Amino acid sequence: MSGIVGAGTGTPMVEAIGVSKRFGSNEVLKSISLRVERGQVMCVIGPSGSGKSTFLRCINHLEHVDAGRLLVDGELVGYRQKGDRIYELKPAEAARQRRDIGMVFQHFNLFPHMTALENVVEAPIRVKKVPRREAVERGRDLLARVGLSAQAGHYPAQLSGGQQQRVAIARALAMDPKLMLFDEPTSALDPELVGEVLDVMRGLAGTGMTMVVVTHEMGFAREVGDSLVFMDGGVVVETGDPREVLGNPQHQRTRAFLSKVL
Amino acid sequence: MTDMQQPGRDDGVPPGGAPVTGGVPLTGNVPTPPSEVIKAVRLRHPWRTTIAVVLIILVVLFVLDAAQRTAFGWPDVAKYLFDERISQAALITLELTVYSMVIGIVLGLILAIMRLSPNPVLKAIAWVYLWIFRGTPVYVQLVFWGLVTLIYKTFIIGIPFVHTWAVIDITWVPPLFFISIVGLSLNEAAYMAEIVRAGLLSVDEGQEEAAKALGMSWGQSMLRVVIPQSMRVIIPPTGNEVISMLKTTTLVAAVPFTLDLFGRAKDISAETFAPIPLLIVASLWYLFFTSILMVGQYFLEKRFSRGVGRGRPAIGTDAGTPPVAGVGIDIGGKG
């Protein structure tokens, strides 16, 4: 991960240019343009249904983009451009792109039939073909990093929500991603468990990891975020320094939203 | 609000003694006397007893009567119950069940995955297969497989309707045992496909998504993530299918294959002119096997329903539920 920090030249880690996405007749993303520089943490806030989760899911091609260009590390997501033609990627190529992008879900989505450690080592062993012993060693390190060494042999059902989410973060990190996506990582947690997950994320940001975080935690956004995006109705309403946006919102819709959540 | 509640309360606080605070815990001030235990006269169920007594009397009468009737041929039942021909036939019935179930489960799994795959061609093939094999009676299918060697006598290599390079006579006539297994397992596959499909669909979508996000291929996410979790839903109805298959094997008479338990029993009774004792013999054997299967099913279901029912599936206390791919086959093996 430390290698990423120095590489901060030239292409941004994520670049969206006029990204649009519709489900049937419902246009959920309307020409979104955003940039996330290397090593930066971008927080995305907004009311539910604003398209912020969909945008996040487009970044690792869990949803495909209908219009515009979405690039991760200078590479089109889910497509390949040859001349002025755009070709859909084969599943194997799309999978290849995804393994460099870690994702953490609102409901953790840990594999319930595997222990914490098995969850963490599964993808390195199966996808990256890392030898089991190496993967296990690395997995234990990662679990230690999120403070769960003692729980390596526990099944997800035996862990609290906060512990499960920390395992999920370790699982994503095990693939050595260059970018981490967080989809409301603390929204499904009991209030007293939110802090432990945010601590891990704060630590991760400190290592220079590029992160896109969809969240309702304004405190986290203010403290850790390098930029803040407010989305509503499928458009980016306001973007800027988190302290500025939260402290002195320029747009009426931002003000209305913040007055309800702060 | 608190004022309105106050008159209704009989909490022992002297009027005007405590200010109206609504939420003050009552137990704090007032000692609660121990509650009186309810000593009620138990509700009687006279009809249950009456009906049970009547039924017992009827059963005893039936047994006494049956024991005396010569048509049941009890000496013959005893004679043939452990007859070598019968026990060999029982073994063949077991073999039919096991082979047909194993093939049926494997084919069913493949068909279910085809139906759920994003590939429209595979989907259509699986759909047509299910349409035909669930839509026609298994008895008719068995008759058909018995006749199939009469339909296809030659194997022609060439360009269809244009040019023939070679004609090979099919001289190999498959044993009837083999044809029976083909018939039973192809039919079973259609039913297993639906069971497996329900199981695969029962796994939360987020599981496949998480696997995808980790860069796992569709096949990897199926084998490592979705299928092991779907086993909990797949195992119980599969147990039912095994029990059902054991009994369906009697239909191989349609092939016609006659070395199974029921076929043999009929053959013997054709010699002895006493069909009823041998029906009883066959039934006892079927009952014996299904009883064993039911016990096995009970334990399997208990194992796979562990920790289920409180929100998230709590698979695995430390006993560890290893991924269960082998278990489906294991039932067959016990069969």
Side-chain angles (χ1 to χ4, degrees):
Chain A
M1 251 150 291
S2 51
I4 297 165
V5 185
T9 50
T11 49
M13 184 56 82
V14 181
E15 187 170 23
I17 309 160
V19 167
S20 300
K21 165 79 190 165
R22 55 169 67 244
F23 292 115
S25 61
N26 181 19
E27 197 169 17
V28 283
L29 295 179
K30 297 168 190 161
S31 193
I32 302 282
S33 294
L34 287 170
R35 278 166 78 100
V36 186
E37 304 296 338
R38 280 157 200 280
Q40 302 255 292
V41 176
M42 185 176 86
C43 293
V44 185
I45 60 169
S48 55
S50 59
K52 53 194 194 308
S53 282
T54 306
F55 177 66
L56 199 72
R57 293 161 59 83
C58 285
I59 296 177
N60 73 347
H61 202 49
L62 284 180
E63 307 288 352
H64 70 94
V65 169
D66 293 329
R69 295 279 186 279
L70 182 57
L71 300 110
V72 170
D73 206 5
E75 212 180 311
L76 268 183
V77 173
Y79 299 96
R80 187 187 325 105
Q81 188 157 14
K82 224 176 178 184
D84 7 311
R85 281 254 171 124
I86 291 203
Y87 299 86
E88 235 178 285
L89 286 188
K90 289 183 193 147
E93 295 167 319
R96 207 184 161 70
Q97 283 188 337
R98 280 195 201 102
R99 40 187 253 202
D100 295 335
I101 304 172
M103 179 139 186
V104 175
F105 298 86
Q106 182 178 358
H107 296 288
F108 332 132
N109 296 3
L110 288 179
F111 306 133
H113 58 303
M114 299 182 190
T115 63
L117 184 62
E118 285 166 354
N119 264 281
V120 175
V121 300
E122 178 68 17
I125 291 173
R126 304 283 154 186
V127 180
K128 279 192 158 178
K129 313 291 179 202
V130 176
R132 173 168 283 274
R133 267 181 65 191
E134 218 173 284
V136 166
E137 205 174 302
R138 179 82 208 292
R140 288 195 185 280
D141 284 351
L142 283 166
L143 285 175
R145 235 177 96 186
V146 298
L148 291 173
S149 299
Q151 280 79 17
H154 286 39
Y155 285 90
Q158 298 167 314
L159 300 173
S160 73
Q163 289 173 328
Q164 289 190 49
Q165 193 61 296
R166 286 186 281 154
V167 173
I169 293 172
R171 177 174 73 173
L173 289 176
M175 293 298 282
D176 294 314
K178 54 190 178 190
L179 167 67
M180 283 285 283
L181 308 175
F182 292 85
D183 188 4
E184 302 198 23
T186 56
S187 297
L189 296 177
D190 291 341
E192 79 271 21
L193 303 177
V194 168
E196 62 190 62
V197 172
L198 292 182
D199 282 344
V200 168
M201 290 167 64
R202 198 174 289 124
L204 189 58
T207 65
M209 174 64 77
T210 314
M211 292 160 60
V212 180
V213 185
V214 171
T215 187
H216 293 295
E217 296 294 328
M218 302 303 159
F220 178 83
R222 182 184 289 126
E223 184 198 338
V224 181
D226 296 297
S227 62
L228 183 70
V229 174
F230 173 66
M231 282 179 72
D232 191 12
V235 295
V236 172
V237 177
E238 195 164 342
T239 173
D241 182 86
R243 283 149 291 263
E244 299 267 304
V245 177
L246 291 173
N248 182 23
Q250 297 301 305
H251 204 283
Q252 174 55 38
R253 271 147 87 192
T254 320
R255 249 173 273 156
F257 175 73
L258 288 177
S259 71
K260 280 180 212 149
V261 296
L262 283 180
Chain B
M1 283 301 278
T2 45
D3 273 70
M4 283 171 65
Q5 282 172 358
Q6 194 63 10
R9 274 205 193 154
D10 185 18
D11 54 12
V13 178
V20 183
T21 45
V24 170
L26 300 171
T27 46
N29 314 341
V30 187
T32 39
S35 321
E36 191 194 345
V37 177
I38 298 174
K39 291 188 208 110
V41 178
R42 274 283 177 108
L43 184 59
R44 309 253 177 231
H45 298 282
W47 283 106
R48 287 184 195 174
T49 326
T50 317
I51 291 171
V53 168
V54 170
L55 282 176
I56 288 170
I57 292 170
L58 285 175
V59 168
V60 168
L61 285 176
F62 174 78
V63 169
L64 287 176
D65 174 74
Q68 288 167 359
R69 277 179 198 269
T70 48
F72 280 114
W74 296 112
D76 277 354
V77 171
K79 184 175 158 198
Y80 288 108
L81 188 55
F82 298 107
D83 186 285
E84 200 183 332
R85 284 172 291 177
I86 289 290
S87 50
Q88 271 175 359
L91 187 66
I92 286 182
T93 285
L94 281 188
E95 284 176 7
L96 284 173
T97 309
V98 172
Y99 294 143
S100 304
M101 272 320 288
V102 170
I103 298 170
I105 288 169
V106 172
L107 276 180
L109 181 66
I110 294 170
L111 283 167
I113 289 175
M114 282 167 75
R115 273 200 82 180
L116 294 175
S117 90
N119 182 334
V121 179
L122 292 181
K123 245 186 205 168
I125 294 172
W127 187 87
V128 169
Y129 184 97
L130 258 68
W131 178 61
I132 292 173
F133 281 88
R134 284 204 309 171
T136 55
V138 62
Y139 190 86
V140 173
Q141 287 172 30
L142 286 166
V143 173
F144 174 82
W145 292 117
L147 296 174
V148 86
T149 47
L150 298 179
I151 306 172
Y152 297 100
K153 290 177 179 166
T154 54
F155 184 71
I156 299 169
I157 302 172
I159 304 164
F161 306 112
V162 180
H163 188 78
T164 303
W165 288 316
V167 178
I168 301 164
D169 282 324
I170 301 175
T171 48
W172 182 66
V173 178
L176 295 176
F177 179 71
F178 176 83
I179 293 175
S180 305
I181 288 173
V182 168
L184 289 173
S185 58
L186 292 187
N187 180 258
E188 183 57 33
Y191 289 92
M192 280 308 301
E194 287 299 275
I195 290 171
V196 173
R197 191 171 76 108
L200 295 180
L201 288 176
S202 75
V203 178
D204 181 45
E205 259 183 312
Q207 291 291 312
E208 207 184 325
E209 226 163 51
K212 232 177 172 183
L214 287 167
M216 290 167 83
S217 68
W218 182 78
Q220 282 172 330
S221 82
M222 271 289 162
L223 276 177
R224 297 289 306 167
V225 177
V226 178
I227 292 177
Q229 291 182 61
S230 65
M231 279 300 163
R232 201 185 62 233
V233 174
I234 292 175
I235 293 283
T238 303
N240 282 341
E241 288 296 305
V242 178
I243 290 172
S244 168
M245 175 61 83
L246 184 85
K247 295 174 293 176
T248 308
T249 54
T250 51
L251 296 183
V252 294
V255 170
F257 178 73
T258 54
L259 297 178
D260 72 304
L261 186 50
F262 184 58
R264 259 301 166 87
K266 270 195 304 188
D267 282 354
I268 295 172
S269 63
E271 291 166 19
T272 61
F273 300 108
I276 293 173
L278 281 141
L279 277 183
I280 295 170
V281 166
S283 299
L284 287 174
W285 276 94
Y286 285 116
L287 265 179
F288 172 66
F289 288 139
T290 48
S291 307
I292 292 175
L293 288 173
M294 281 162 86
V295 172
Q297 193 186 11
Y298 169 79
F299 284 109
L300 269 178
E301 281 184 25
K302 233 173 117 177
R303 181 183 163 80
F304 281 96
S305 62
R306 241 184 349 190
V308 182
R310 261 181 287 146
R312 309 219 109 224
I315 299 178
T317 53
D318 278 333
T321 7
V324 215
V327 175
I329 292 161
D330 197 33
I331 319 177
K334 274 180 199 155

